[in-house]
Amino acid sequence: MFEIRVICPPGDADQIAATLAAAFHVGGFRRYPARDGQRMRLYVTADTHTARDHAPTDHH
């Protein structure tokens, strides 16, 4: 498990969050203004997907 921090324009935050959620198992996103007052800081705890997560399922 690891922590991801992204500093981005506020308009990009939702797309970045969606992309990270698709790539990793994530917890809740925390959003704070960046120190420059122009951008946003996103924090999320993440874990990698395992091979089991991508294995085909049997629907019989």
Side-chain angles (χ1 to χ4, degrees):
M1 190 174 305
F2 52 95
E3 179 92 356
I4 297 173
R5 179 181 70 169
V6 177
I7 299 174
C8 63
D12 293 346
D14 290 337
Q15 180 61 40
I16 291 169
T19 301
L20 289 171
F24 301 101
H25 289 291
V26 296
F29 283 87
R30 297 170 316 277
R31 299 173 185 224
Y32 305 100
R35 291 186 179 128
D36 66 8
Q38 304 285 321
R39 297 175 294 169
M40 174 174 286
R41 291 179 292 145
L42 300 177
Y43 292 89
V44 65
T45 301
D47 203 356
T48 58
H49 291 290
T50 63
R52 186 181 66 216
D53 295 333
H54 299 291
T57 56
D58 186 9
H59 295 288
H60 292 278

